[in-house]
């Protein structure tokens, strides 16, 4: 990016292409506008404008088609590896080096903003840099669904199928959104089979393991498990500090150690918010002409301190678990003991006991008037499942980390 101009109404920032403009507008426009408000320029409009380099060679049509959907910043070189993501990173590198020979499909899952999309784009960049002739496509599940709907609407299903069955490497993001869409699942099932049978590489991402995606066909569950399933956990504080350092280096900003530790200790959610906090601090420092130090970080990111003070409540846990399993809070509190309701309820009770100071009778009362012995049974049940099932243990660990 480059500073272009500043007048009474508009701050103009130069970007290399339309993809950069769209990505920055989506991810950082709000951060910049907050920073401008804090320095006394609340009405200032931020405009990202394309600045072309005359010396840059014009890309070929094929090159445009291949790389148009890949974020240029999401590469293996810019990905920070830590204990929380090293398995997924190693699997992604293996797939990128030998497509369709290592793990096919590769299924990557983890919470929002932990690096799944980054790894998928990195796979794409690595493959295209070495095998330019391959037909590679990165696409979100939402866009795939919209393309299929339009293909049905305009009677173009044959060309839609041909497009996807001619792909050499398919990277499809957020596959959980296919849940409950029977016709889309049917089409994707046949595309998956065609590509896998032809030994084409498939990489899929989701916010949960295949078996925990609700209302998805069993045959898709089993196919997602044909290859390798790799999870990404929330980063530990050392990894968060390393991510901040790398981001600061990319922005050519000196980040003091105590500031990096401060941000890493306060941002409990995900990498996206971690980087957003740093960008906000850099923008504030730049616009006010101040050096980046701990007092400035505390001033700029004071809302993080305020957020941290909020206690974890039983209602917060119930809502979190209900949202994850696509349930209503009233269903978790109900007397329904079907497995699809009972297990989420037991998880919510377990989390409540682990994360709050509520007593067993209090927990029972908040879950529809259950007896405290029912709460004890639920806690023991989840404890036993964590010991027996490593994948389930990782899921519960990710839930706990989400609150911390």
């Amino acid at each position: 990016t480059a500073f272009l101009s500043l007048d009474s109404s508009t701050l103009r920032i130069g970007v290399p292409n339309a993809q950069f403009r769209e990505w920055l507008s989506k991810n950082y426009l709000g951060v910049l506008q907050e920073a401008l408000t804090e320095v006394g320029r609340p009405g200032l409009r931020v405009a990202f404008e394309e600045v072309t380099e005359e010396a840059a060679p014009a890309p070929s049509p094929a090159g445009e088609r291949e790389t148009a959907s890949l974020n240029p910043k999401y590469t293996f070189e810019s990905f920070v590896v830590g204990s929380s993501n090293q398995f997924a990173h190693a699997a992604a590198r293996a797939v990128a080096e030998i497509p369709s020979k290592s793990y096919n499909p590769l299924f990557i899952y983890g919470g929002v903003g932990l690096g799944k999309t980054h790894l998928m784009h990195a796979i794409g960049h690595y493959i295209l840099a070495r095998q330019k002739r391959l037909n590679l496509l990165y696409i979100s599940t939402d866009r795939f669904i919209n393309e299929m709907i339009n293909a049905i609407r305009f009677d173009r299903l044959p060309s839609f199928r041909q497009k996807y069955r001619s792909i050499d490497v398919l990277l499809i993001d957020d596959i959980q959104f296919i849940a409950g869409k029977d016709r889309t699942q049917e089409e994707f099932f046949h595309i998956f089979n065609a590509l896998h049978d032809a030994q084409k590489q498939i990489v899929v991402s989701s916010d949960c393991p295949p078996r925990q995606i609700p209302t998805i066909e069993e045959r898709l569950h089993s196919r997602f498990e044909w290859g390798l399933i790799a999870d990404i956990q929330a980063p530990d504080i050392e990894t968060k500090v390393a991510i901040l350092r790398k981001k600061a280096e990319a922005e050519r900003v000196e980040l003091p150690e105590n500031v990096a530790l401060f941000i890493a200790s306060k941002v409990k959610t995900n990498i996206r918010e971690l980087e957003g906090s740093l960008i906000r601090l850099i923008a504030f420092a730049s616009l006010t002409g101040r050096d980046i130090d701990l007092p400035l970080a505390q001033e700029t990111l004071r809302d993080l301190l305020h957020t941290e003070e909020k206690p974890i409540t039983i209602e917060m846990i119930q809502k979190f678990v209900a949202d994850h399993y696509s349930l209503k809070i009233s269903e978790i509190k109900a007397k329904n003991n079907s497995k699809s309701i009972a297990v989420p309820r037991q998880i919510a009770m377990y989390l409540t006991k682990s994360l709050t100071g509520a007593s067993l009778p209090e927990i029972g009362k908040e879950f529809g008037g259950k007896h405290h012995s029912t709460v004890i049974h639920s806690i023991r049940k989840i404890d036993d499942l964590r010991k027996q099932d490593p994948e389930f243990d990782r899921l519960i660990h990710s839930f706990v980390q989400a609150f911390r």
Side-chain angles (χ1 to χ4, degrees), residues 77 182 249:
E77 290 71 27
D182 294 342
E249 185 181 320

Side-chain angles (χ1 to χ4, degrees), residues 377-391:
H377 170 74
S378 297
I379 293 168
R380 287 176 178 169
K381 178 75 179 292
I382 299 303
D383 259 331
D384 290 342
L385 284 172
R386 293 191 73 174
K387 292 171 185 174
Q388 297 165 12
D389 186 346
E391 191 173 283

Side-chain angles (χ1 to χ4, degrees), residues 47-120:
F48 296 108
E49 299 181 7
E50 292 179 53
V51 178
T52 57
E53 296 182 31
E54 292 183 4
S60 64
E64 286 181 325
R65 173 182 57 80
E66 290 172 338
T67 61
S69 58
L70 296 177
N71 188 319
K73 290 190 175 184
Y74 287 172
T75 65
F76 283 124
E77 290 71 27
S78 63
F79 189 84
V80 177
V81 183
S83 59
S84 60
N85 59 28
Q86 60 185 1
F87 178 57
H89 174 264
R93 285 296 297 249
V95 164
E97 287 170 3
I98 316 175
S100 78
K101 305 297 182 186
S102 298
Y103 310 110
N104 197 21
L106 173 61
F107 190 102
I108 304 171
Y109 76 90
V112 174
L114 295 182
K116 303 184 299 296
T117 300
H118 189 142
L119 279 180
M120 296 185 82

Side-chain angles (χ1 to χ4, degrees), residues 31 39 57 65 116 126 133-134 142 182 210 246 339-340 349-350 387:
V31 174
V39 296
R65 173 182 57 80
K116 303 184 299 296
Y126 192 95
R133 293 181 181 275
L134 286 184
D142 275 344
D182 294 342
K246 192 145 197 169
K339 188 176 180 181
S340 61
M349 288 181 174
Y350 177 89
K387 292 171 185 174

